[in-house]
Amino acid sequence: MIIKSTLFAAFLVLFALQATAQQPDAVKTDSTQRLRPVTVRGYLSEQQMLQVPASVGVLNSAQLTLQSNNSMVSAMNTLPGVRMEERTPGSYRLSIRGSLLRSPFGVRNVKIYFDEIPLTDAGGNTYLNALDVSSLHSIEVLKGPDGSLFGANSGGVVLINPVSRLRDSSVVSVGFNAGSYGLIHQNAAVHQQWGKNDLNVSQGYQSYDGYRDHSYMQRHYLQMVNRYHYGKSNQLKLIGFYSDLQYQTPGGLNLAQLQANPRASRPATATLPGAIEQHIGISTKMLFGGVVNEARLSNRVRNVATVFGSHVNFENPFITNYEQRNEGTYGARTYFELSGLAAASLDWKLNLGAEWQQTNADINNYDNLAGVTGNPQSLDVVNTNQHFVFTRYAATLYRRLNIEAALSLNYYQYKFRNAYPLNQAGLSTRNFKPQLMPRVALSYEITNNFIWRASVSRGYSTPTIAEVRPSNNLINTDLQPETGWNYETGLRLRNRDESLMLDASVFYYRLNNTIVNQRLANETDYFVNAGGTKQLGFELNFTGWIMRPVNSGTIRGIQFNEAFTYNRFNFRSYSINNTDYSGNRLTGVPRQVVVSSLQFRLPQAVYLFVQHNYTARIPVNDANSVYAGSYHLLQAKAGWQFGIGAKTRLNIYAGADNLLNKNYSLGNDLNAVGNRYYNPASLRNYYAGMSIGF
């Protein structure tokens, strides 16, 4: 597979280079589709991606538009090294260069920011599924541990840009699409510009009956970003959203149940009721917001300061209990940037900043009486504080050598009290030893179009609230942070106008005190530190215009994208209940993933997008005795964009997913009791919709 994919990519590079060279001069490139260099803002200031000494994945607005806007999963999985799952509609899991062993559901050991505001709370939880993807502008993914600027994480960082950083003209847009299995998704947005003010308001509603029994989801979403520009180049942003998400969870099936009826929800057993009887599901109501002030204090000094807060009401009726969480988070983040006097021999920037967060959570578990709370099982208070200070120095020497050195000092603490059944009077405190997280990186421009890079960074991820106090209702004060060192090298290769770009990297990540999820016989979760992992990986991303955009002819542009991921991840010194799993493959991680796509641009602004995803088989238990099978997914989307009058634009589109009608599980329950590993994804399905902007 590796050899075939490498040869295929090499053939396409050569083909594209040849096609570019032979393109007739008489064919004019489309001036409305100019190829712009890809830029990222992940390291505190705008940089061309080509020169960033790190592995970065970018999903811009054009790339998100080509994908279905009903879920993040398809778009995120086009980035090598990133795996996103959706076991049931609305139930996201995300990992970057790692395993989902820490994530029965949700996001762990990855830090996520919404603009300049942490979406990840002090307790390590991220409600990524609260967002409506149609309301987002772009996404950046910094792969590998990067706590030097963003605090504790051992997987990576995701930066979500809700709106464009550029000032656009005023526009109103409305969209609607519908599809198989009762899919309905509606969204509307207003961008109003007047004077020095930009107001962006977006709204979304989505509902979906789902492929399986008991898998209905519904989300109401409202988002606002207001920017006020003042002074020479300063801006004040008010950012916020409200999300009301509810989804049913059908539960995992064993192999016999999967083969008998993949659309069924989890049935009852002799000792436990089923998913439908217990009305299992999740409800999340989240209010999130903050103020971001960006001020240029002088020609060389810039400051960004943020204050923020959120409130979450969370409910999860499960087979054995009914959990309710009430969580409040507040905090602040700021950093200064000092720029050197630019010269041909040296250009540099120095950053100094800090971030502080507090999350207070009431976590209550009751008996689940068919979807109604019964007698209390355990009532707990867990208050978490996380803060860190950081600094970064970045320099460019002779416009070829880029050097970065960054360091953060991280503090973590939680306090807890059991209100029932122990009725504890005061809070007990668990302090973690402060940890340094360094990162050193460099890149060298060997030629104008060939750049080599290397980096060393330390990962550090503290236990989340959901791991310290999991569904077994016991607070585990013995759980330690996981730590490790990541070593990486890579290259970027482009042609003169960046119509072709190749990005490849090799990394070795050695993780200690790995936090893993285990399940008791009553199917409640608990977490332990279990040895470590060895994670050797290779990632390749190629994008190229096989035929550059032109303004005449039957085919007016062909773009090819290839994302290849190879993971050789194994347990190291890993033992659970006197069983040694050392040397086994890391649970939940496929060995290979290959995502390939073609975009065709046709006359009259008609486009066709086709994408294929191959995912190798996945071990679903630590013993590696059971694997979820490999699968091929084929997706397609076609649309027509045209203008009506001077300002109005209409986009009509239709798409299909799983065109090959494959049976597969997009998200497995790892180490599941009763071998209930599988969450079947929908068979061939379709959607169609339209959007209008004016």
Side-chain angles (χ1 to χ4, degrees), residues 118-423:
L119 185 61
T120 303
D121 65 26
N125 293 326
T126 307
Y127 295 99
L128 185 59
N129 54 0
L131 304 178
D132 184 298
V133 67
S134 64
S135 298
L136 307 180
H137 180 264
S138 61
I139 300 172
E140 298 176 18
V141 178
L142 314 181
K143 293 181 283 186
D146 201 333
S148 56
L149 301 177
F150 304 102
N153 71 86
S154 60
V157 178
V158 178
L159 308 174
I160 298 173
N161 300 307
V163 296
S164 172
R165 292 191 290 267
L166 303 175
R167 297 193 72 184
D168 299 321
S169 58
S170 298
V171 66
V172 176
S173 63
V174 179
F176 177 84
N177 75 81
S180 305
Y181 308 115
L183 170 67
I184 295 175
H185 191 187
Q186 170 271 326
N187 59 279
V190 176
H191 174 215
Q192 181 65 44
Q193 182 183 40
W194 67 93
K196 297 181 178 181
N197 203 75
D198 289 312
L199 175 64
N200 292 270
V201 178
S202 58
Q203 169 271 336
Y205 169 80
Q206 184 174 354
S207 64
Y208 188 39
D209 292 335
Y211 169 69
R212 298 177 63 192
D213 296 338
H214 199 70
S215 60
Y216 176 78
M217 71 84 68
Q218 181 185 80
R219 182 196 296 112
H220 294 271
Y221 184 78
L222 182 64
Q223 173 183 297
M224 184 196 74
V225 178
N226 188 76
R227 292 184 294 188
Y228 176 72
H229 300 264
Y230 67 96
K232 188 174 181 181
S233 43
N234 308 321
Q235 62 175 337
L236 180 68
K237 290 187 286 187
L238 180 63
I239 300 171
F241 68 77
Y242 175 75
S243 176
D244 183 350
L245 170 67
Q246 300 179 48
Y247 60 90
Q248 298 171 328
T249 51
L253 303 176
N254 62 35
L255 184 59
Q257 294 164 347
L258 172 71
Q259 293 172 339
N261 182 10
R263 301 192 67 172
S265 61
R266 171 181 163 169
T269 67
T271 58
L272 291 172
I276 293 178
E277 293 94 319
Q278 288 294 76
H279 299 272
I280 67 174
I282 287 179
S283 170
T284 306
K285 294 179 173 64
M286 183 174 188
L287 179 63
F288 174 95
V291 178
V292 180
N293 184 64
E294 183 174 345
R296 187 161 292 279
L297 306 180
S298 73
N299 291 335
R300 297 178 56 195
V301 179
R302 182 174 68 99
N303 172 253
V304 176
T306 305
V307 292
F308 55 87
S310 66
H311 186 269
V312 175
N313 284 324
F314 176 93
E315 294 193 9
N316 178 203
F318 184 58
I319 297 292
T320 55
N321 65 77
Y322 193 123
E323 181 174 282
Q324 294 179 335
R325 296 205 305 256
N326 191 316
E327 302 168 347
T329 296
Y330 54 95
R333 175 179 170 88
T334 186
Y335 58 87
F336 291 86
E337 181 176 87
L338 172 64
S339 299
L341 296 173
S345 59
L346 178 65
D347 186 14
W348 59 269
K349 290 180 180 179
L350 176 67
N351 298 102
L352 179 66
E355 181 178 307
W356 183 93
Q357 268 189 297
Q358 174 80 23
T359 296
N360 300 327
D362 296 329
I363 307 174
N364 303 322
N365 287 77
Y366 305 87
D367 294 336
N368 183 7
L369 306 179
V372 178
T373 56
N375 293 325
Q377 296 180 358
S378 183
L379 310 180
D380 293 289
V381 174
V382 183
N383 299 336
T384 310
N385 182 271
Q386 183 173 177
H387 60 278
F388 61 96
V389 293
F390 61 90
T391 185
R392 168 182 176 263
Y393 178 79
T396 300
L397 282 71
Y398 298 99
R399 297 178 181 171
R400 285 195 176 274
L401 178 62
N402 297 286
I403 300 174
E404 289 188 12
L407 180 69
S408 69
L409 179 60
N410 295 262
Y411 299 84
Y412 185 70
Q413 173 198 85
Y414 63 83
K415 298 181 179 181
F416 59 93
R417 178 177 68 87
N418 180 262
Y420 178 87
L422 301 181
N423 192 27

Side-chain angles (χ1 to χ4, degrees), residues 49 56 453 491-492 501-505 539-542:
M49 183 174 170
V56 181
R453 68 180 185 272
L491 59 88
R492 291 190 178 98
M501 175 79 81
L502 177 69
D503 190 329
S505 60
E539 297 164 0
L540 181 144
N541 189 46
F542 170 74

